[in-house]
Amino acid sequence: MSQIKSVILFCLLCFSFTVFAVLPEDEKVPGGVAVIKLPKKYNQQTTPPSVYFDDVKVAVLKDGKNTDWYAIVGIPLTMQLGIASIEARQAKIRESIHFEIVDKAYTEEKLFFKENKLVTPNPELAAKIKEETKHLEAVFSSWSDKALENFQLKIPVKGRISGEYGSKRILNGELRSQHRGLDFAAPIGTAIMAAQSGKVIDVGNYVMTGNTVVLDHGQGFKTIYCHLHTVSVKLGEVLEANQKLGTVGKTGRATGPHLHFGVSLNNVRVSPKLFFVN
Ligand SMILES: [Zn+2]
């Protein structure tokens, strides 16, 4: 009898692994990801409906050999708790699908910068930061139809996690916005690898993020690598997963050498830990 139970348990484990192997972890909280199964009526179709969250297109994917379509929705850190909805659009039909966003407690983190100009920039620098933010917003809101096989990411650098996603940052004693990435502390020059195969859609040197690379993995799924010491890739280059794209540095607003790693879905920076497989 216990043998039968073990076999059943083993099968269940295999089944759940197979079903959720290619999708990110479902965590319907501000800063998390909603993995939403679309209604069965779409299963027969080779092309899924287009799905929108807050009028921004979201990724839709089949999970391996499973016949169901899933919408993968990035939830902003500033999102109100309670019922939210996505809209499936096909031909002239619009269908709302609801889901619930629950609370998550994020920690506080105190940071001190010797150079106060990056904490409270003068008007000229503030204008430059605003321009660069606008540019990066455009990079993140771009869409490519490239087929996306999965949402699995490899940890991009060997280092210690020194800054958690979502932490409320107190800069030189003043409460600022929440951290929209994950920081890995590592010595200057440590290799940084592409977390998944993707196309280089931005390379720049910005006031806040320093030397920066953005990769597009398809369907609004993107990763960003900041504060690099060196960048070894060019705009438009297509990288394999694990291919070196640069080295750890402390360019831009950084208290020490580290990689700031961010993950974006539907132009929302979400928690990278929901995607890691190693
Ligand atoms: Zn960071």
Side-chain angles (χ1 to χ4, degrees):
M1 189 62 188
S2 69
Q3 255 182 334
I4 294 170
K5 271 187 190 163
S6 307
V7 169
I8 292 171
L9 182 64
F10 178 71
C11 290
L12 280 174
L13 285 172
C14 292
F15 181 71
S16 54
F17 179 74
T18 314
V19 169
F20 296 105
V22 303
L23 301 180
E25 205 177 307
D26 175 52
E27 196 182 27
K28 295 181 182 75
V29 300
V33 174
V35 177
I36 301 167
K37 194 195 278 192
L38 298 183
K40 291 254 178 240
K41 64 183 176 194
Y42 296 114
N43 289 8
Q44 309 308 322
Q45 302 169 4
T46 46
T47 319
S50 297
V51 177
Y52 292 79
F53 177 59
D54 210 10
D55 260 338
V56 179
K57 201 170 181 183
V58 305
V60 176
L61 200 73
K62 267 197 180 173
D63 193 5
K65 291 188 177 70
N66 196 344
T67 51
D68 297 309
W69 289 105
Y70 290 85
I72 313 300
V73 186
I75 305 168
L77 275 167
T78 50
M79 189 78 196
Q80 265 197 345
L81 305 182
I83 303 298
S85 61
I86 51 172
E87 189 178 68
R89 301 177 188 172
Q90 199 161 54
K92 284 182 179 164
I93 298 166
R94 302 270 187 278
E95 181 180 10
S96 288
I97 300 158
H98 303 286
F99 62 100
E100 191 181 1
I101 297 169
V102 297
D103 201 7
K104 177 166 178 164
Y106 288 106
T107 52
E108 268 186 12
E109 214 170 4
K110 288 185 177 127
L111 296 173
F112 291 95
F113 290 89
K114 276 187 230 147
E115 264 193 295
N116 206 48
K117 70 170 190 185
L118 291 182
V119 176
T120 316
N122 64 39
E124 199 184 324
L125 198 59
K128 191 162 188 253
I129 292 169
K130 202 175 162 191
E131 268 307 298
E132 292 176 354
T133 306
K134 213 170 119 187
H135 164 76
L136 282 170
E137 279 298 308
V139 169
F140 279 117
S141 56
S142 66
W143 176 272
S144 75
D145 276 321
K146 179 182 170 286
L148 184 62
E149 277 175 27
N150 64 63
F151 286 90
Q152 296 174 344
L153 296 179
K154 293 179 185 300
I155 292 174
V157 71
K158 285 196 179 98
R160 167 184 66 86
I161 290 178
S162 58
E164 290 289 350
Y165 173 89
S167 58
K168 292 168 186 154
R169 299 202 132 174
I170 298 162
L171 306 190
N172 295 6
E174 209 177 298
L175 179 65
R176 297 296 177 96
S177 60
Q178 281 174 275
H179 189 218
R180 299 197 298 167
L182 192 60
D183 289 344
F184 294 92
I188 286 190
T190 307
I192 299 169
M193 313 298 188
Q196 195 195 81
S197 62
K199 186 178 178 180
V200 180
I201 55 162
D202 196 58
V203 176
N205 183 1
Y206 306 118
V207 175
M208 300 299 267
T209 58
N211 289 321
T212 301
V213 173
V214 182
L215 298 186
D216 184 358
H217 309 290
Q219 297 209 28
F221 183 43
K222 302 181 181 92
T223 50
I224 182 167
Y225 310 77
C226 306
H227 310 301
L228 274 54
H229 185 59
T230 57
V231 173
S232 50
V233 292
K234 290 191 178 71
L235 194 65
E237 210 174 315
V238 176
L239 309 184
E240 298 287 321
N242 252 338
Q243 190 176 329
K244 185 177 170 184
L245 57 80
T247 58
V248 171
K250 54 171 187 173
T251 55
R253 193 174 74 182
T255 51
H258 74 282
L259 168 70
H260 170 101
F261 176 67
V263 176
S264 190
L265 276 174
N266 49 277
N267 194 18
V268 171
R269 255 59 81 214
V270 294
S271 173
K273 281 185 176 172
L274 301 173
F275 303 84
F276 287 142
V277 286
N278 58 349

